[in-house]
């Protein structure tokens, strides 16, 4: 997405030309389990082809690089100009630079051994004066992307339409009070469904960037939700019409940029999908950074979405709950990754979804090498999470303890309740016969200690 810095303050183009290697000093990253702690340009835990729990690590983890942060991030923040000076950029949003950039990106993916990528329409090609010109730009750059995907054996995890950056969307896209703006959003979704299909994308994401409100005083909540659902229904119809078979995903987020966003968290989105009979056509893309912004624990939405049958994909990043805004950091916490991987293993994988690194290096991390080290660190974090979760499930102590905790519902009155066959009169009779229930410990510290034995 574009930066707000004046052109004069933008980084100037460096030495690299479109044809030269973008990362000449970096070789393909290898698995070196015995590497010394200061050898950071290798994997210590991620061994792509290693079989574990019935699949290769690569199949379980399905890592993906996001284009918007890693190749469009400038390091600009509300208080400062860009800091990330990439050799293939010249500060302009031209087609020439768009091509040099995407070549650099595919070199990056293949040096890391990452098999998937994700992008918004506006990340890869500049907007033109008209929708037609913009779409022609997108056609041209996506032709090149298709070529590069084949050359480097990289696939598209998901595409998405950027319905939030352009000023036309300042009052929302599908929820905009002006149908002309909603029409523009629909035109963009139509084109991006076509491009995602052309690139063999296996998912399509909707993040409702400005689908919410800044003040409820000027907002008709019911009409806005109806309109957003109508746009989703049109997307489902068009997906079927063009034969796009990818999974549609909605990404929850509670706030930022709007004060309130309708897709607040996993349970809210599932309620919305059921209200509008869209639950058969959509799953969720969960970003743990958004989960913590909603006031939940890191793994909460992944687990809730999974257990309710809606977990489609994960934007594997982290926030800084002590800051409280959307920092999109690289996930480096092994315990969080372990709990996320446990949920993913319990649903037998994420396919066609994956673990997309919707993460940006800090604006102070200005070396090209930081782009690699950040992804390597995050991949190793999730590889450790996978290995830990496999041990938890194989040894079975934690799952058995939880099962035992609910075992009262396996028989008798508990089973009747679960089967939906009990009545309030029967519950009353049960208490008359059995008196006061025993006090049963929740044993939280025991569970926490047990988890620590695996992390
Ligand atoms: C922003 C979102 C966004 C989506 C894709 O906070 O995370 O990047 O993942 O539009
Ligand atoms: Ca995201
Ligand atoms: Ca985010």
């Amino acid at each position: 997405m574009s930066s707000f810095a004046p052109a004069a303050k933008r980084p100037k183009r460096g030495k690299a030309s479109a044809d030269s290697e973008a990362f000449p000093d970096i070789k393909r990253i290898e698995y070196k389990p015995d590497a010394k702690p200061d050898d950071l340009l290798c994997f210590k835990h991620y061994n792509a082809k290693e079989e574990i729990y019935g699949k290769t690590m690569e199949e379980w983890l399905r890592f993906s690089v996001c284009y918007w942060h890693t190749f469009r991030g400038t390091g600009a923040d509300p208080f400062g100009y860009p800091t990330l000076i990439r050799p293939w950029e010249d500060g302009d949003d031209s087609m020439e630079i768009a091509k040099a950039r995407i070549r650099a990106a595919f070199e990056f993916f293949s040096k890391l051994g990452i098999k998937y990528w994700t992008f918004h329409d506006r990340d890869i090609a500049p907007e033109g004066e008209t929708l037609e010109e913009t779409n022609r730009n997108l056609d041209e750059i996506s032709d090149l992307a298709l070529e590069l995907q084949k050359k480097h054996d990289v696939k598209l995890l998901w595409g998405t339409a950027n319905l939030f950056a352009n000023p036309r969307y300042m009052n929302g896209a599908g929820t905009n009070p002006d149908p002309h703006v909603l029409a523009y959003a629909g035109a963009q979704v139509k084109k991006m469904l076509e491009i995602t299909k052309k690139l063999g994308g296996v998912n399509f994401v909707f993040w409702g960037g400005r689908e919410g409100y800044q003040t409820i005083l000027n907002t008709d909540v019911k009409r806005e939700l109806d309109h957003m659902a109508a746009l989703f229904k049109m997307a489902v119809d068009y997906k079927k019409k063009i034969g796009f078979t990818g999974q549609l995903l909605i990404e929850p987020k509670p706030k930022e940029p709007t004060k309130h966003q309708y897709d607040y968290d996993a349970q809210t989105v599932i309620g919305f999908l059921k209200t509008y009979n869209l639950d058969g056509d959509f799953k969720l893309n969960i970003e743990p950074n958004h989960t913590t912004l909603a006031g939940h624990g890191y793994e909460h939405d992944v687990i809730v979405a999974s257990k309710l049958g809606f977990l489609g994909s994960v934007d594997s990043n982290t926030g800084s709950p002590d800051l409280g805004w959307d920092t999109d950091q690289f996930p480096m916490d092994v315990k969080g990754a372990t709990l996320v991987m446990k949920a993913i293993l319990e649903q037998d994988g994420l396919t066609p979804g994956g673990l997309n690194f919707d993460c940006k290096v800090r604006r102070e991390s200005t070396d090209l090498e930081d782009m690699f080290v950040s992804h390597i660190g995050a991949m190793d974090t999730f590889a450790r999470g996978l290995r830990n979760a496999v041990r938890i499930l194989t040894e079975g102590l934690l799952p058995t303890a939880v099962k035992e905790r609910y075992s009262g519902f396996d028989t008798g009155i508990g089973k009747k309740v679960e089967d939906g066959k009990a009545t309030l009169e029967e519950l009353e009779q049960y208490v008359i016969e059995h008196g006061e229930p025993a006090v049963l410990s929740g044993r939280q510290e025991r569970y926490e200690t047990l988890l620590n034995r695996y992390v």
Side-chain angles (χ1 to χ4, degrees), residues 253 287 289-290 317 326 328 358:
K253 184 171 181 179
E287 180 177 313
N289 175 41
H290 297 169
N317 65 4
D326 184 5
D328 286 342
D358 184 356

Side-chain angles (χ1 to χ4, degrees), residues 1 66 68-69 120 158 160-162 164 205-209 251 253 256-257 285 287 289-290 315 317 326 328 356 358:
M1 278 135 268
C66 89
W68 52 99
H69 286 317
H120 301 81
W158 47 263
T160 184
N162 180 332
F164 45 88
V205 165
F206 292 87
W207 170 55
E251 180 176 326
K253 184 171 181 179
E256 239 200 285
N285 179 42
E287 180 177 313
N289 175 41
H290 297 169
D315 271 4
N317 65 4
D326 184 5
D328 286 342
N356 175 48
D358 184 356

Side-chain angles (χ1 to χ4, degrees), residues 87-101:
W88 53 87
E89 300 285 340
D90 69 355
D92 284 340
D93 207 6
S94 69
M95 289 293 278
E96 186 210 345
I97 298 301
K99 289 178 187 172
R101 184 187 297 128

